[in-house]
Amino acid sequence: MAPYSLLVTRLQKALGVRQYHVASVLCQRAKVAMSHFEPNDYIRYDVLEKNINIVRKRLNRPLTLSEKIVYGHLDDPANQEIERGKTYLRLRPDRVAMQDATAQMAMLQFISSGLPKVAVPSTIHCDHLIEAQLGGEKDLRRAKDINQEVYNFLATAGAKYGVGFWRPGSGIIHQIILENYAYPGVLLIGTDSHTPNGGGLGGICIGVGGADAVDVMAGIPWELKCPKVIGVKLMGSLSGWTSPKDVILKVAGILTVKGGTGAIVEYHGPGVDSISCTGMATICNMGAEIGATTSVFPYNHRMKKYLSKTGRADIAILADEFKDYLVPDPGCHYDQLIEINLNELKPHINGPFTPDLAHPVAEVGTVAEKEGWPVDIRVGLIGSCTNSSYEDMGRSAAVAKQALAHGLKCKSQFTITPGSEQIRATIERDGYAQILRDVGGIVLANACGPCIGQWDRKDIKKGEKNTIVTSYNRNFTGRNDANPETHAFVTSPEIVTALAIAGTLKFNPETDFLTGKDGKKFKLEAPDADELPQAEFDPGQDTYQHPPKDSSGQRVDVSPTSQRLQLLEPFDKWDGKDLEDLQILIKVKGKCTTDHISAAGPWLKFRGHLDNISNNLLIGAINIENGKANSVRNAVTQEFGPVPDTARYYKENGIRWVVIGDENYGEGSSREHAALEPRHLGGRAIITKSFARIHETNLKKQGLLPLTFADPADYNKIHPVDKLTIQGLKDFAPGKPLKCIIKHPNGTQETILLNHTFNETQIEWFRAGSALNRMKELQQ
């Protein structure tokens, strides 16, 4: 790739005004690699173009950008049935990315498949297992020591099966993807719900469970329900304190946490050009919080600039050649259209406890006092996969520099998480990191850290009511520090920095004054910073491990006595009968995210050991019977006890069980452990008012039945002491509801209907016991 880039540059300089023509001629003949790390895997815009033209001719209408990229990756574009929101598409993604917490189970499943190598370029990224405690270097050393067994497993498994391995300290998966692997028009799947971050570089990047990743790595077409497309038209331009984060905070307030379910959010309009590439990534990243399949921006000069700055000028030149296929067609139709005038958009802050509770920064202090939320800010935290770019750090440093000039430091504790080793090294070189330290900040490791609960917080006790502000993406109850009384708010890094300096939610940097050390009042000016460094990025330490060409002698060891890793045993096949007398393990009240179903934080260390991590099953879910978390009635003993213990009791005694859930069950993370655990402990079905997309698919992959009430009011007919029988499985078919007999303790019965979204392939997963079992059947 490097020689080609050099040739283009030399010819451009020699021919001046004929640069574009020369680049065009070269690109028509050249092969351009998808990344520096995989020089023999090429971008296939020619295939994308061919498939799009086939589909456009069939549909005979203009296409959205989302449709172009998705349909451009169809396995059979000539015959695939295409209807938004209805049909299932069979797709051929370009690559797979996995973070270390989910990669463990994904690689264990791939090992079980018996396949020798991955079929598409794939990578593992070590970012989830590093706990924030003392600071970057110390925390990284501690993590390498504590997690040595897991890191060794992932490194050797990657080497054995042809997967690239990013060592701990390299950075957060989504920043690494943006810097090295994302490109306009790519279809990438990742085992993390914030994989849509890559949409900031014009790709369709979708979060999935590990079993989906295994399908793609095995070379099997990946199935996705044909997404609807929500258009967000941006007018005007960003300025002042308003940031890209405010766009998605505003959209989250409009669409709520489930308003994007089953849809791709496609940003377009003249306002797009006022947003940097990394700013677009921020917006796409947090699109996961509205339930969207993914989000995407059209290819433009901001993306071209970012590609060139990250050493991929040849990709930018190639994208210019195929630009018509990397932007929406004029006159394309959106299923829903939202318009936002960036000139009128004000800084926002969302929370607490849910990322769609939107407030203008100017109003949040008043709302907090009215609601009884603590207004004093204990900790401000910037970084995470959502906001840890060079521009983010620069804008935060610009705010901090003003406070330092007036003799001020942060009143709140303040932490900084660089997104990657490249960002860390570059902000150290350019002085941003030191400014943020000088104002009172602690620079943490290049990792997820407090955003996912990897935070050894010492300043409060569990149960103590307090407020934190972050530039993260999620703020579910207890997510950051395992304290249910922590009121977490999400906003932009520069607003976090300003609020941490002021120490209160009542401060509005657009209008309010601070008092300097000299007693004089001053107002913070809106921050300004370069979107990219003026010099080249400093790559920092080399943290990448290439898979060897010959891995025949590579061993992957999993000790049978390990408490961190456990080889998987196949789940049992369906016995061909209806599910009778299912016991209700828990009827969940209200919000139940994957954090509630399978908590992160200290439980992350068991992500490779299914039996051990199953001890956190549904410990955060609220039981409607008593209003408590992790306290359910054992139907046999009539005693209340922890959810996992009760599930294990049922399993040991041959009692199959079901969970009853509320709206948008399983929102949040892509973690498939939230599906593996109930299956492992004897669950057979999850019945809810509605599901989040990724979790519903994960349940299907593991042989469970995700079912929804045909009438949502039927949720109220079921009581924790009832038993359920699910009928119609012998004639299980797409679109055909199942019957559910509710058996009450007094001997009376009621019949309700349950809907499902299974297609023929997914029904085969259920019958085989799991998608992995079905894969093995097909291999035989």
Side-chain angles (χ1 to χ4, degrees), residues 34 43-49 52 65-74 92-95 181-188 198-205 296-300 303 307 315 318-319 322-323 325-327:
M34 284 197 283
I43 294 174
R44 295 301 307 273
Y45 281 152
D46 56 330
V47 175
L48 188 76
E49 177 184 32
I52 290 171
L65 171 60
S66 307
E67 290 180 306
K68 287 182 179 182
I69 301 175
V70 172
Y71 303 162
H73 286 83
L74 284 170
R92 292 287 185 178
D94 296 301
R95 64 180 309 118
Y181 298 113
Y183 59 84
V186 71
L187 177 59
L188 179 152
L201 204 40
I204 293 294
C205 304
V296 69
F297 278 82
Y299 177 62
N300 67 359
M303 296 181 191
L307 284 168
I315 294 180
L318 189 63
F322 289 85
K323 185 172 181 179
Y325 297 93
L326 304 173
V327 297

Side-chain angles (χ1 to χ4, degrees), residues 586 588 591-592 596-597 618-623 628-631 643:
I586 181 173
V588 177
K591 185 186 284 285
C592 190
H596 294 87
I597 303 167
L618 286 160
I619 61 175
I622 301 302
N623 180 8
K628 296 180 179 180
N630 201 25
S631 176
V643 182

Side-chain angles (χ1 to χ4, degrees), residues 86 88 225 700 707 710 728 731-738 753-760 762-763:
K86 296 287 181 69
Y88 277 86
K225 180 178 278 191
K700 292 177 183 178
L707 306 171
D731 301 314
F732 199 10
K736 185 177 181 181
L738 299 173
L753 292 179
L754 301 175
N755 292 332
H756 64 84
T757 60
F758 280 79
N759 62 21
E760 291 288 359
Q762 295 165 346
I763 290 172

Side-chain angles (χ1 to χ4, degrees), residues 25-308:
V25 173
L26 283 171
C27 286
Q28 287 169 5
R29 295 180 298 181
K31 290 183 178 180
V32 177
M34 284 197 283
S35 82
H36 295 283
F37 302 102
E38 295 136 355
N40 297 317
D41 292 300
Y42 303 110
I43 294 174
R44 295 301 307 273
Y45 281 152
D46 56 330
V47 175
L48 188 76
E49 177 184 32
K50 177 183 176 183
N51 290 352
I52 290 171
N53 288 337
I54 290 171
V55 173
R56 183 188 277 118
K57 185 176 180 180
R58 287 180 55 202
L59 299 182
N60 193 30
R61 61 171 173 80
L63 300 177
T64 66
L65 171 60
S66 307
E67 290 180 306
K68 287 182 179 182
I69 301 175
V70 172
Y71 303 162
H73 286 83
L74 284 170
D75 182 52
D76 183 5
N79 298 297
Q80 171 71 61
E81 187 180 358
I82 299 171
E83 185 178 357
R84 289 187 197 171
K86 296 287 181 69
T87 58
Y88 277 86
L89 306 178
R90 289 167 61 83
L91 302 168
R92 292 287 185 178
D94 296 301
R95 64 180 309 118
V96 173
M98 300 168 280
Q99 42 94 336
D100 51 356
T102 51
Q104 296 171 61
M105 200 58 71
M107 292 309 296
L108 286 166
Q109 290 178 85
F110 189 82
I111 291 170
S112 296
S113 75
L115 296 170
K117 291 279 184 181
V118 295
V120 300
S122 304
T123 50
I124 294 169
H125 304 260
C126 295
D127 61 0
H128 270 58
L129 301 180
I130 303 169
E131 184 181 49
Q133 190 179 65
L134 301 173
E137 292 184 10
K138 293 179 180 178
D139 292 345
L140 181 58
R141 283 198 300 270
R142 179 170 173 265
K144 287 179 177 178
D145 180 53
I146 292 173
N147 302 307
Q148 182 179 5
E149 180 186 11
V150 171
Y151 291 147
N152 179 67
F153 166 73
L154 293 174
T156 56
K160 178 71 173 177
Y161 297 104
V163 179
F165 179 70
W166 288 85
R167 300 182 186 94
S170 60
I172 305 172
I173 178 173
H174 310 302
Q175 184 67 28
I176 298 293
I177 293 296
L178 201 70
E179 292 172 355
N180 299 281
Y181 298 113
Y183 59 84
V186 71
L187 177 59
L188 179 152
I189 68 165
T191 60
D192 188 279
S193 57
H194 292 109
T195 300
N197 191 79
L201 204 40
I204 293 294
C205 304
I206 301 176
V208 299
D212 274 339
V214 172
D215 279 355
V216 177
M217 291 191 292
I220 298 171
W222 174 59
E223 289 198 343
L224 175 72
K225 180 178 278 191
C226 187
K228 295 183 178 181
V229 187
I230 298 173
V232 179
K233 186 176 183 179
L234 301 179
M235 309 296 291
S237 61
L238 292 176
S239 62
W241 284 92
T242 306
S243 74
K245 186 66 164 282
D246 297 306
V247 175
I248 185 58
L249 294 175
K250 177 70 173 179
V251 170
I254 295 169
L255 289 176
T256 76
V257 291
K258 66 174 186 175
T261 302
I264 295 175
V265 178
E266 183 172 312
Y267 293 86
H268 62 284
V272 167
D273 285 341
S274 73
I275 305 173
S276 67
C277 178
T278 53
M280 296 183 220
T282 291
I283 294 168
C284 292
N285 177 294
M286 198 174 160
E289 282 20 280
I290 58 173
T293 300
T294 191
S295 302
V296 69
F297 278 82
Y299 177 62
N300 67 359
H301 71 282
R302 307 299 283 263
M303 296 181 191
K304 182 175 182 178
K305 185 177 180 181
Y306 184 80
L307 284 168
S308 298

Side-chain angles (χ1 to χ4, degrees), residues 328-508:
D329 287 337
C332 64
H333 170 71
Y334 295 104
D335 296 284
Q336 180 180 352
L337 183 63
I338 297 168
E339 293 192 13
I340 296 176
N341 188 336
L342 301 180
N343 293 333
E344 300 173 356
L345 185 63
K346 289 292 185 180
H348 273 62
I349 182 169
N350 289 21
F353 305 125
T354 186
D356 59 350
L357 186 56
H359 321 274
V361 170
E363 300 173 10
V364 70
T366 301
V367 174
E369 288 185 320
K370 179 181 177 181
E371 297 292 336
W373 305 332
V375 295
D376 292 337
I377 299 167
R378 297 295 289 267
V379 190
L381 307 97
I382 65 171
S384 88
C385 65
T386 316
N387 277 113
S388 56
S389 68
Y390 184 82
E391 182 182 33
D392 290 327
M393 295 297 154
R395 285 174 67 89
S396 296
V399 175
K401 195 172 182 179
Q402 295 179 61
L404 290 168
H406 290 83
L408 297 186
K409 291 190 174 185
C410 291
K411 289 185 178 179
S412 309
Q413 292 183 42
F414 187 46
T415 70
I416 303 98
T417 303
S420 68
E421 171 61 9
Q422 180 167 277
I423 293 296
R424 183 208 63 77
T426 306
I427 66 172
E428 288 286 1
R429 181 197 69 194
D430 293 353
Y432 291 166
Q434 191 55 51
I435 292 170
L436 296 171
R437 288 191 193 94
D438 289 345
V439 84
I442 297 174
V443 178
L444 301 175
N446 314 323
C448 301
C451 182
I452 60 163
Q454 285 284 50
W455 185 15
D456 186 18
R457 190 177 180 189
K458 301 291 189 184
D459 64 298
I460 60 161
K461 295 179 180 179
K462 189 168 183 178
E464 183 179 342
K465 201 172 181 181
N466 75 103
T467 285
I468 64 174
V469 291
T470 82
S471 69
Y472 302 163
N473 41 47
R474 290 198 178 122
N475 55 352
F476 301 141
T477 303
R479 176 175 173 85
N480 302 122
D481 61 1
N483 179 12
E485 291 299 324
T486 291
H487 293 56
F489 294 82
V490 292
T491 185
S492 68
E494 51 267 48
I495 293 293
V496 172
T497 306
L499 293 179
I501 291 165
T504 175
L505 286 177
K506 297 171 70 176
F507 178 70
N508 176 12

Side-chain angles (χ1 to χ4, degrees), residues 503-693:
T504 175
L505 286 177
K506 297 171 70 176
F507 178 70
N508 176 12
E510 288 192 299
T511 58
D512 295 345
F513 288 80
L514 294 168
T515 302
K517 191 175 182 181
D518 58 4
K520 296 180 180 179
K521 292 187 178 297
F522 72 97
K523 196 167 81 168
L524 293 170
E525 295 180 1
D528 186 31
D530 293 332
E531 64 180 282
L532 295 166
Q534 294 182 15
E536 297 304 312
F537 275 110
D538 183 341
Q541 300 178 37
D542 183 6
T543 55
Y544 180 70
Q545 171 187 293
H546 289 268
K549 292 182 179 179
D550 180 8
S551 62
S552 57
Q554 179 68 56
R555 291 178 56 86
V556 182
D557 293 325
V558 177
S559 169
T561 60
S562 172
Q563 294 301 301
R564 300 289 301 271
L565 298 164
Q566 180 186 45
L567 293 174
L568 296 175
E569 295 291 332
F571 289 131
D572 60 302
K573 293 184 178 182
W574 175 55
D575 61 9
K577 302 176 182 177
D578 288 336
L579 299 175
E580 297 187 359
D581 292 330
L582 296 173
Q583 190 65 55
I584 296 171
L585 176 66
I586 181 173
K587 182 179 179 182
V588 177
K589 177 183 179 182
K591 185 186 284 285
C592 190
T593 71
T594 48
D595 282 335
H596 294 87
I597 303 167
S598 177
W603 291 95
L604 285 168
K605 61 178 172 285
F606 296 126
R607 284 284 182 88
H609 196 293
L610 180 55
D611 193 58
N612 281 345
I613 200 168
S614 294
N615 288 322
N616 76 0
L617 174 65
L618 286 160
I619 61 175
I622 301 302
N623 180 8
I624 199 168
E625 187 174 7
N626 56 13
K628 296 180 179 180
N630 201 25
S631 176
V632 295
R633 183 195 302 271
N634 183 313
V636 178
T637 68
Q638 292 300 307
E639 296 178 353
F640 281 85
V643 182
D645 293 357
T646 307
R648 287 188 186 277
Y649 179 94
Y650 290 160
K651 181 180 180 180
E652 291 166 3
N653 288 276
I655 301 170
R656 296 183 294 184
W657 50 265
V658 62
V659 170
I660 307 300
D662 211 315
E663 294 279 7
N664 207 31
Y665 184 91
E667 70 173 275
S669 166
S670 69
R671 67 192 67 154
E672 66 179 337
H673 299 78
L676 283 160
E677 292 175 33
R679 183 71 164 98
H680 175 63
L681 294 184
R684 302 305 301 176
I686 313 292
I687 305 172
T688 71
K689 295 180 182 178
S690 63
F691 285 98
R693 175 191 63 86

